[in-house]
Amino acid sequence: MKSTFEKEPPVAHASHRWEENEHCLHYDYNGKPLLSIFIPEGAKPYYREASNGNIQSSPFVQQIYVALDKPALVKVNIHLSKEALNMRPQRAVKGQAILGQIGKPLLKGVNGIYDVFQDLLIDWHGAGWSWTKSRLEQNETGDWQAELEVQGGLQPWIVNLRMQYYRRHLQFEHHRPWQWRPNVQPITGWSSWEAFAQRVTGKDIEKTAAFLDTHFKPYGLNVMQIDDGFQSEHIPPTKGGSVADAWIQTNHRFPDGHDGLISSIKGRGFRAGIWSSAMVTNREFVEANREYFECDSSGDPLYGQWIFNVLKTDPKTLAEQVAPLYRGLKDKGYSYFKTDQIRHFLYDGLHKAVNDGLLSNEEASASLRNYLQCAREQIGEDSFFLACWGVLTEAAGIVDACRIAGDSNPSWSAICKQMVETARWYHTQRILYLNDPDYICVRTEEAWGQSLLSLVSLTGGLLMISDNTELYDKDRIHSIQRCIPSLATTTGETGQLDMTFPLDLSLPQLGDRQMDDAFAYALLGLNAEPRETNATGSLWAIHFDLPFRRWCVAGRFAVVPLMETVLELEALALAPDDAYHAFDFWKQRYLGKKTGSIALDALELGHCQIVGLCKAENRPQLIGSSRHVSMDAVSVADERWEDGRLLLDLRGVPGTTEHYWISVPSSYGYENCSGIGIVIAVEDSDSEDSRLLKLSIRWEEEQGKADLGFS
């Protein structure tokens, strides 16, 4: 999507000016205000007045400091563009939860702001500080701003400005958010690959579409993607044809062609997705059309593992071989495109030519980028574009999503990889792309599938299930329904890529359903002794800041067996002095009111615990839900407290029943309830910390209203 912020931010100092009448130190950047630091009357500030200092190299960092001659409280305003986030300026360390966010929360102790359109990271250190408000606020021009207070004094408050942060500091050189932003809409769907592999048929798609329509579409699944198996056996099918022929002409298992596929998918109301690959496999075509292919040092067409024969990306080849492929599939009615083998195209193909001195590294990267750009131009900005696989810097600024993990399957080693790679790459989530951990195989051990579904949904990943739906029992259907749709979660932390654990450790493989602790630890390069309380990628905190409600969901995932632990709430970026109602989602159990810390369960390998934490208020309030693992960013459209009544606007699936838990302080008495579009049954119970109402709500219509009266 084209950005509305087209001016490239300079890699240059923010300029300072002192306004005596305001007693304020201002910093301006890119032609606009950036920082306003208000110094109390009677305090003398000390600050850097010129571009001296030693942090002047590339990637560029401007360090600002402010000190006072005596202790005083300093107010600071941060002025931002039309897209900004509170962001921890480093990755989670041991004992900290990985942070995600929906909305614009300002989180306890999270000492950074990322201005998305300007690719500017602002972080601060040194002096004590706190937010003055709970969320970023938007001004009359649509720009965002934040306010904090700093404990000024002789100890300096240090501010770092990292210009073009993702582009230069993290080396995603094609990331230019001031020109273009990916379409990072939540994606929830089904793919044919792990269900049927290359044996997939048109009948399989038709039958699966009917199942998905009944069981998952009402809950938010809206994409069906055909994977490898529909195309011709050889690419292209004949010596005299073109590459596009292999993809536009379906094989004998699809006698009705793409028209039949589109009819099966769109006829059920799903968005139609299609897989294709950059590979060329027909050697006769290659020999007859050498001008389209890169050559090796012997002058023969370049061959690479998985990619087979390596296309050139000059204008003629792109126009005659690549553009017709994507334009043809777009014209058939597909709007979701997955392009595979691009990592092999670059590293197993083009870089063989680099090794032989036939291409430079820059030319190889440009060639891959040319291929992706051609595809994007043909499918248009209104289509969704997934690059597979590898988080390639060349894909930034072109694709909407990147696959971040290896090939999935139902084994623990594959599922564990999906979970830890979700953690490793989380700093790119909805900044560079939508992260795709690959397909979720829910046919695996029930607890493993439930954990991966929970993690991908909460962290906002591209959620594609991929099984033969005949393998889904009642419990697996229920787990999927509780985790769809995937959420629009954005990363709440950034920093360098964590390379302290292996990507894909080759170990003796056990059976799909067999696993011992030693093997599980070895997958992550860990020693099984001592046992872990929180291992890499196991602890998450997703913060929800909606206009009507604010809460946190803590997720603990046993990527190795995890010991019981007492977790400090500060590790979740929550205020330790506040009280929070804690509710366990999968056990559907109230855990009580927690201050300072929370006790979490020991977890067997592959199991998870999902706990909602709502700040306790002195009134009846919603604290838990059965509908969605987010508890509940999906079915609750509004929550209001008006004149002794709790009012809920709800969305649901007609004919189904969900449960909602309301905490009622002892100073209130429950009186009555009524519903519109829903039927409500109420169970009243007491707990150690609070009186609870359990609402069992049956939907008669998709939209419903609940009205609960208290005295």
Side-chain angles (χ1 to χ4, degrees), residues 252-469:
H252 67 279
R253 292 190 300 276
F254 298 85
D256 297 325
H258 286 290
D259 291 342
L261 282 169
I262 292 293
S263 176
S264 294
I265 296 170
K266 287 190 171 182
R268 295 279 183 177
F270 295 110
R271 184 176 186 178
I274 196 75
W275 175 93
S276 64
S277 168
M279 63 185 173
V280 177
T281 63
N282 188 331
R283 194 68 181 179
E284 288 187 350
F285 174 84
V286 175
E287 290 296 337
N289 298 276
R290 286 191 170 215
E291 70 274 16
Y292 293 134
F293 295 90
E294 298 285 356
C295 292
D296 60 22
S297 56
S298 301
D300 295 324
L302 186 65
Y303 182 87
Q305 186 178 19
W306 295 105
I307 194 66
F308 297 95
N309 301 282
V310 183
L311 282 167
K312 290 180 180 178
T313 61
D314 60 282
K316 174 181 170 63
T317 303
L318 291 174
E320 296 180 4
Q321 300 299 327
V322 179
L325 185 170
Y326 289 94
R327 185 170 60 250
L329 292 175
K330 170 77 170 182
D331 290 344
K332 289 293 184 183
Y334 296 101
S335 61
Y336 175 110
F337 294 84
K338 176 180 177 180
T339 294
D340 210 345
Q341 268 86 44
I342 62 168
R343 178 175 68 93
H344 303 292
F345 187 8
L346 180 61
Y347 290 112
D348 298 317
L350 294 167
H351 272 269
K352 292 179 73 173
V354 173
N355 289 336
D356 290 342
L358 303 173
L359 291 175
S360 68
N361 287 306
E362 292 74 18
E363 287 171 332
S365 292
S367 184
L368 175 59
R369 194 164 171 82
N370 290 342
Y371 185 98
L372 295 174
Q373 188 63 52
C374 176
R376 169 57 87 184
E377 289 170 358
Q378 299 306 312
I379 65 176
E381 293 292 337
D382 58 332
S383 292
F384 188 84
F385 194 9
L386 165 63
C388 180
W389 72 280
V391 185
L392 300 174
T393 59
E394 289 82 2
I398 298 176
V399 305
D400 300 305
C402 265
R403 207 181 92 189
I404 59 173
D407 293 336
S408 68
N409 61 62
S411 71
W412 173 249
S413 58
I415 291 170
C416 179
K417 187 191 307 180
Q418 291 176 274
M419 298 178 81
V420 297
E421 291 307 304
T422 294
R424 193 196 315 250
W425 289 102
Y426 203 60
H427 64 301
T428 68
Q429 175 71 304
R430 284 192 166 84
I431 303 297
L432 299 179
Y433 334 92
L434 180 64
N435 289 355
D436 170 26
D438 204 24
Y439 308 132
I440 300 177
C441 299
V442 190
R443 67 186 186 274
T444 187
E445 294 286 342
E446 183 181 344
W448 299 357
Q450 193 174 86
S451 291
L452 186 55
L453 283 165
S454 299
L455 179 63
V456 177
S457 179
L458 285 170
T459 60
L462 195 158
L463 196 162
M464 298 289 281
I465 58 175
S466 184
D467 303 284
N468 185 333
T469 54

Side-chain angles (χ1 to χ4, degrees), residues 660-671:
Y660 298 84
W661 281 262
I662 309 297
S663 173
V664 183
S666 58
S667 57
Y668 285 87
Y670 168 67
E671 294 288 334

Side-chain angles (χ1 to χ4, degrees), residues 492-505:
E493 63 178 51
T494 189
Q496 299 293 329
L497 191 64
D498 185 355
M499 300 293 288
T500 62
F501 55 93
L503 167 65
D504 192 1
L505 192 61

